[in-house]
Amino acid sequence: MRVAIAGAGAVGRSIAGELLENGHEVLLIDKAPTAISVERVPQAEWLLADACEITSLDEAALQRCNVVIAATGDDKVNLVVSLLAKTEYGVPRVVARVNNPKNEWLFNESWGVDVAVSTPRLMSALVEEAVSVGDLVRLLRFSHGDANLVELTLPPESALAGTQVGDVAWPEDTSLVTIIRGPRVLTPHNEETLEPGDELLFVAAQAREEQLEDLLSVRREGPAATG
């Protein structure tokens, strides 16, 4: 997979390093000569250019990229890069960094953003996740389709504790993607039994979040819901 990253600061370089370790091709783009530190990520391609300029993106051959990541420290730049990547080059996946939470509402499909990552929101979500059991925590917002990555730690009093995944009538527009149980990361097969303390990660439509939280947190009379 070929990935272009606009912004070669600490965030961009860190992302590049992770992607390279996983075997992907990475191009780092930055207009500041001081940011071009080839020795820090020598396996990456580097381009000294303004990612907001069409001529620069032509030089970067953005149409060959599977993913573009707008990772600069300027929200305006990240929005422009996202819009150009999606509308001018048809990049399938655009991920954008949100620096100021007040601007988060702008980072949506209208600006070409598929996934918006707000560091302050993510940090606060991780704090909530660490102290909350039975409360749904939103970790990441997917702009396209109005879906979110959410987490809930299954409380001991949940009606679904001891229930197999395949026997749960999950809300529509909701998908259980991972179960984290202690040090283990489990694929949620239908035969997998939910246990108290499981961290459950879902991709869910925002309109279904309250329904999902009620399903997992509240103990009901009688057996758990079955599908």
Side-chain angles (χ1 to χ4, degrees):
M1 183 171 69
R2 182 171 174 79
V3 182
I5 302 173
V11 173
R13 293 195 305 269
S14 178
I15 296 170
E18 292 284 343
L19 291 171
L20 287 164
E21 285 183 9
N22 290 326
H24 301 297
E25 298 178 37
V26 176
L27 169 64
L28 280 160
I29 307 170
D30 206 296
K31 67 177 182 179
T34 54
I36 305 300
S37 304
V38 178
E39 69 281 359
R40 295 193 179 185
V41 194
Q43 304 94 334
E45 299 175 46
W46 289 79
L47 178 62
L48 176 61
D50 187 344
C52 292
E53 297 288 342
I54 289 288
T55 53
S56 300
L57 300 181
D58 284 343
E59 186 178 355
L62 223 66
Q63 69 278 1
R64 293 177 44 222
C65 293
N66 306 100
V67 179
V68 165
I69 301 173
T72 80
D74 188 325
D75 284 345
K76 296 187 295 295
V77 171
N78 291 343
L79 286 170
V80 171
V81 170
S82 298
L83 185 62
L84 291 175
K86 183 67 71 176
T87 60
E88 298 296 325
Y89 298 91
V91 177
R93 194 71 165 168
V94 177
V95 179
R97 172 187 176 188
V98 184
N99 296 279
N100 186 340
K102 292 181 180 179
N103 297 329
E104 190 172 359
W105 66 277
L106 287 166
F107 285 74
N108 55 40
E109 59 185 343
S110 298
W111 279 93
V113 178
D114 294 304
V115 181
V117 181
S118 171
T119 302
R121 176 184 288 278
L122 184 56
M123 291 180 68
S124 64
L126 291 172
V127 170
E128 291 181 45
E129 185 272 333
V131 299
S132 302
V133 174
D135 295 328
L136 185 142
V137 178
R138 188 179 300 166
L139 298 177
L140 191 66
R141 180 172 61 86
F142 300 97
S143 300
H144 185 70
D146 193 31
N148 300 307
L149 177 66
V150 299
E151 184 272 351
L152 187 142
T153 299
L154 195 69
E157 65 273 13
S158 172
L160 297 187
T163 303
Q164 290 189 339
V165 169
D167 291 335
V168 180
W170 301 108
E172 293 182 5
D173 304 319
T174 298
S175 177
L176 175 63
V177 293
T178 303
I179 300 172
I180 300 175
R181 183 175 296 154
R184 302 173 63 200
V185 178
L186 307 175
T187 301
H189 298 297
N190 285 341
E191 296 77 21
E192 186 67 51
T193 299
L194 299 174
E195 297 183 4
D198 282 351
E199 293 183 51
L200 308 178
L201 271 67
F202 297 86
V203 174
Q206 187 168 332
R208 301 294 182 181
E209 290 180 2
E210 184 176 352
Q211 185 179 353
L212 180 62
E213 185 172 24
D214 288 344
L215 175 67
L216 291 164
S217 301
V218 179
R219 174 164 294 282
R220 300 165 183 78
E221 296 298 327
T226 58

